[in-house]
Amino acid sequence: MKLGVFSMSLSVKDLNTSKAFYEKLGFSKFAGGEEMKYMIMKNDTTLIGLFQGMFQGNILTFNPGWDTEAKVLDSFEDVRDIQKSLASDGIAVGDTIATEKGRASFTITDPDGNVILIDQHV
């Protein structure tokens, strides 16, 4: 199973404070912005998302269909196929995806309560 590019989505208290901290670790703004209350930051091929007031807790995130530059891959496993495969393996998946193609997402939770978001943008 190919889940796509990985990032960590962090729930932050203050976006600007977190941005400044991660810049000291070598990350730079890649997408988003203060006005949107989220920012994707990048250090080489490592991505982290900083999200202020959007969700509680941190989330492991996979983006089928994207590379680390958020460019669409020629070939990838569709989020709906991933969801069906996980469900058939007995993993409880979030809401069923109603669309037949394009943008869609779902969540699963690992045995320790960590939330995993499978979020396809294409």
Side-chain angles (χ1 to χ4, degrees):
M1 177 176 306
K2 294 186 179 184
L3 297 176
V5 68
F6 172 77
S7 65
M8 177 62 102
S9 297
L10 303 174
S11 177
V12 301
K13 294 176 187 173
D14 182 276
L15 186 60
N16 289 319
T17 300
S18 294
K19 175 184 180 259
F21 174 83
Y22 283 100
E23 285 174 335
K24 291 175 184 174
L25 295 178
F27 285 84
S28 60
K29 179 181 170 184
F30 179 67
E34 292 86 354
E35 68 282 356
M36 294 179 266
K37 298 290 187 189
Y38 82 91
M39 187 172 301
I40 308 303
M41 300 195 70
K42 187 172 182 179
N43 179 332
D44 193 27
T45 60
T46 302
L47 297 167
I48 57 170
L50 307 176
F51 297 86
Q52 182 177 325
M54 297 178 95
F55 52 82
Q56 290 186 345
N58 300 322
I59 301 173
L60 303 167
T61 303
F62 295 93
N63 299 112
W66 273 1
D67 68 11
T68 58
E69 297 295 323
K71 292 185 177 137
V72 178
L73 299 170
D74 292 333
S75 162
F76 61 92
E77 193 163 349
D78 188 83
V79 67
R80 284 153 282 272
D81 295 330
I82 294 169
Q83 183 185 46
K84 288 175 190 170
S85 177
L86 294 172
S88 72
D89 281 343
I91 295 176
V93 297
D95 295 337
T96 301
I97 300 170
T99 60
E100 292 184 27
K101 63 180 183 174
R103 185 179 182 119
S105 64
F106 69 93
T107 60
I108 57 175
T109 303
D110 79 6
D112 295 300
N114 299 301
V115 177
I116 302 168
L117 172 66
I118 313 296
D119 189 20
Q120 181 174 305
H121 294 270
V122 296

